[in-house]
Amino acid sequence: MSEGCGIALTMLIIDDDERYVDALFRDARRAGIRLLHAGSLEEGKVVVEGVDGAGICGVILDVECYKRRDDATPDSSFIIAATKYFTEKAPHLPVVALTGVQALFDRYVKDFAGIWQVYKKGRDESAMFAHLRQRALELEWVKVAGRYPDVFRVVDTYLGADTRQALIDCLGTMDDVTPARIRGNLANLRSIQEKLYIVLHRHRPDMVPRRFIYYEHGDQPLKSVNVAAILEHLKGNFDMRRQQIQGEVFLHYRSPLYRFSELVYRVSSDGIHAIDEDSADKPTRYTVQAVANALLELVLWFGRVAGEESSECAGVR
């Protein structure tokens, strides 16, 4: 893991030399960096503009590479096209150039002076990763994720890039007092809770049975999630009036985790309605913070129970 961050930093490398990239993966892991590889600028654009794009916090460019995936030879104009693309599309990202050719290294050290760092293959990898890591840790969203490394390890393992970005957006704007942002954060938090149960169904269908997740056709696309019914099922369909449990208990109805589950579901939903209906009892940034922290506890709980081994599930009921 990256020093001072606690999470793996995802970076993109665009290089047509697959053998070199394979070797570089090992160096990257030791530096706490997860590399995504593209063999051409065209493929790199697909990565940046796809689901993994929001999680990229650094870019490594070979100075001569394919511009299109079906090119026969590397293009010397690649670096100019790549410079233009990343300057316009992702100006916030740290970008470095890399080459194994001494003449190209000497040339681009001069051409990119004051703009990008240029490194020599086979010599400068440690310095390159140290530079990229330092620059990545200055990004605001990386700082946010770095404050919750245990949570984002679960998110990255099970929940995907869209959930990761939604959670970062919310945690980074919890102090925003504008009604639109408060509404957006509450909606994000409610959606993340729903995603938890959708994914938990795949790992633990006993905890989240299929009947509580509704699809349009087959298994896609998702139509809705019956969170209220899932919560009842998790507490064993406990009958408050008779004080009787009617099914297996996964979360005791008096446990903090069950109360957090209810808080996220009910407060986020009621808060959104209060804003939409212009209610006098408006949610505030503190409402968002309370719901967000409750959700973080649920993410950690989800991470414990999502595994198949029974030992991972002991002590959560």
Side-chain angles (χ1 to χ4, degrees):
M1 293 300 172
S2 296
E3 183 181 352
C5 181
I7 59 171
L9 301 171
T10 300
M11 301 191 183
L12 172 67
I13 179 169
I14 304 180
D15 194 317
D16 57 278
D17 188 342
E18 293 188 8
R19 292 180 62 185
Y20 173 76
V21 173
D22 286 344
L24 197 63
F25 268 83
R26 293 188 289 272
D27 293 334
R29 282 197 297 268
R30 285 193 289 269
I33 292 172
R34 168 180 171 253
L35 285 181
L36 301 177
H37 177 223
S40 67
L41 180 57
E42 179 184 5
E43 294 166 288
K45 290 178 180 180
V46 172
V47 175
V48 172
E49 297 168 21
V51 293
D52 287 322
I56 293 173
C57 56
V59 180
I60 304 167
L61 301 173
D62 190 9
V63 298
E64 285 192 340
C65 189
Y66 300 125
K67 290 174 69 175
R68 291 167 291 276
R69 69 179 73 211
D70 57 355
D71 283 347
T73 58
D75 193 326
S76 59
S77 67
F78 160 82
I79 194 66
I80 303 303
T83 298
K84 183 176 186 296
Y85 174 76
F86 284 103
T87 299
E88 294 176 353
K89 185 70 178 180
H92 60 289
L93 290 180
V95 180
V96 300
L98 186 65
T99 181
V101 180
Q102 186 65 44
L104 292 176
F105 174 78
D106 294 338
R107 171 187 170 185
Y108 286 110
V109 163
K110 295 178 181 177
D111 289 351
F112 286 144
I115 303 173
W116 290 351
Q117 295 287 335
V118 182
Y119 295 96
K120 181 77 180 298
K121 288 184 177 181
R123 186 189 71 184
D124 297 335
E125 284 79 6
S126 294
M128 177 183 71
F129 284 132
H131 169 76
L132 284 171
R133 182 175 63 187
Q134 180 181 358
R135 291 289 310 282
L137 292 175
E138 296 170 0
L139 297 173
E140 285 304 315
W141 73 262
V142 173
K143 293 178 183 177
V144 171
R147 289 198 291 269
Y148 309 93
D150 48 355
V151 171
F152 280 95
R153 279 193 287 272
V154 175
V155 171
D156 290 343
T157 301
Y158 295 104
L159 300 175
D162 54 344
T163 301
R164 182 184 220 276
Q165 190 58 46
L167 185 55
I168 285 173
D169 288 345
C170 180
L171 294 174
T173 59
M174 288 194 300
D175 284 331
D176 196 314
V177 299
T178 61
R181 185 69 263 180
I182 290 172
R183 187 194 190 286
N185 281 336
L186 291 175
N188 266 346
L189 293 166
R190 186 176 67 180
S191 296
I192 294 170
Q193 184 185 34
E194 292 175 353
K195 181 69 174 288
L196 285 180
Y197 297 139
I198 294 166
V199 178
L200 188 57
H201 162 69
R202 301 171 194 159
H203 293 272
R204 294 290 305 273
D206 55 330
M207 298 182 73
V208 180
R210 175 67 174 77
R211 65 182 180 273
F212 299 138
I213 302 174
Y214 309 119
Y215 296 89
E216 292 283 3
H217 301 287
D219 282 345
Q220 294 294 336
L222 178 70
K223 184 177 181 181
S224 63
V225 180
N226 192 336
V227 176
I230 291 170
L231 294 181
E232 287 297 311
H233 178 79
L234 288 173
K235 70 175 182 180
N237 291 298
F238 180 74
D239 187 322
M240 292 290 290
R241 186 174 61 84
R242 298 180 179 179
Q243 292 291 295
Q244 290 180 347
I245 296 171
Q246 300 175 6
E248 186 174 2
V249 178
F250 298 100
L251 284 175
H252 193 279
Y253 77 97
R254 288 181 177 171
S255 69
L257 280 168
Y258 186 80
R259 296 184 189 278
F260 288 148
S261 302
E262 282 195 311
L263 185 152
V264 175
Y265 170 59
R266 300 189 187 283
V267 175
S268 62
S269 298
D270 291 346
I272 292 170
H273 292 317
I275 291 177
D276 291 345
E277 297 170 2
D278 198 26
S279 168
D281 191 15
K282 298 283 191 184
T284 68
R285 60 175 174 150
Y286 304 115
T287 310
V288 173
Q289 291 166 11
V291 175
N293 282 292
L295 180 73
L296 297 183
E297 290 284 4
L298 293 186
V299 171
L300 294 179
W301 164 78
F302 162 83
R304 293 195 295 271
V305 301
E308 294 181 354
E309 295 184 11
S310 61
S311 60
E312 294 180 359
C313 302
V316 302
R317 298 182 181 179

